[in-house]
Amino acid sequence: MKRGRTRALLIVTLCAAAIVAAAPGILRLGAERLRRAIMTRASAALGGEVTIDRVEFAVLRQTVRLRGVDARKTGNRGSSAALRAEEVSARAGIFTLVGWRRGTISLRIENPDLRLTLAPGRDLAVHGPPGESSPLVLVPASLRVSIVGGSVDVAVGDGPGARFKTTCI
């Protein structure tokens, strides 16, 4: 009987050691798959190119971190937008992060650098199609956004521009 317990304990210990040894590799594979999925969905939603250098997730803190986020979009009349952020992190309940349940998401953007170039004749006003509500209505009320540091550059064609620096919004 004692031999059976020793053998079972040895098997459990070996299985636990194998799981601990394999966990970093499994997490890296999961992070790479998640990175590609986020880039694909974000590119489709933006209608431009989105790249992410690295994705990290912390299960206990229920946080997904995107490091080195680049987003670019070019309009058909010469307008363009480019965003570079050192880090974007989303914090929510685990079921909210995986999309199984609705809940509040806290989004934190660190040191974004946003560059807008407007084609001549364009303005910064947000317009939707006639008779429809503003596109800002599509932003869910359960989303909390904080921006730490960063800058915004706005220029109109080859004309004058402005630069805004943020500390915390």
Side-chain angles (χ1 to χ4, degrees):
M1 189 66 150
K2 201 171 192 181
R3 260 184 148 168
R5 285 186 186 167
T6 305
R7 192 173 282 162
L9 182 62
L10 179 64
I11 290 172
V12 168
T13 304
L14 288 174
C15 288
I19 290 171
V20 168
I26 292 169
L27 288 177
R28 271 194 300 277
L29 288 174
E32 178 58 26
R33 187 173 179 194
L34 180 63
R35 183 183 75 84
R36 285 192 306 249
I38 291 171
M39 286 188 336
T40 301
R41 292 181 76 181
S43 294
L46 179 66
E49 180 185 356
V50 176
T51 58
I52 301 166
D53 293 341
R54 191 171 72 221
V55 172
E56 301 167 352
F57 46 90
V59 177
L60 296 178
R61 299 181 94 201
Q62 301 175 347
T63 304
V64 174
R65 274 193 191 88
L66 311 176
R67 301 214 188 249
V69 178
D70 274 315
R72 300 188 185 292
K73 182 172 181 170
T74 304
N76 60 353
R77 296 185 191 164
S79 295
S80 65
L83 171 73
R84 171 76 179 164
E86 288 179 15
E87 181 179 307
V88 177
S89 58
R91 185 170 183 169
I94 191 72
F95 293 120
T96 302
L97 283 176
V98 296
W100 292 347
R101 184 177 8 166
R102 289 183 174 213
T104 301
I105 298 175
S106 297
L107 193 65
R108 179 182 171 100
I109 305 169
E110 293 190 17
N111 299 319
D113 182 23
L114 176 63
R115 297 177 190 274
L116 297 174
T117 303
L118 303 174
R122 295 283 187 164
D123 59 12
L124 283 174
V126 177
H127 302 288
E132 290 189 16
S133 59
S134 167
L136 295 177
V137 172
L138 300 175
V139 177
S142 60
L143 180 66
R144 290 184 289 189
V145 179
S146 63
I147 301 172
V148 179
S151 63
V152 177
D153 292 316
V154 181
V156 178
D158 294 329
R163 181 174 184 90
F164 306 97
K165 288 200 172 252
T166 62
T167 53
C168 186
I169 297 176

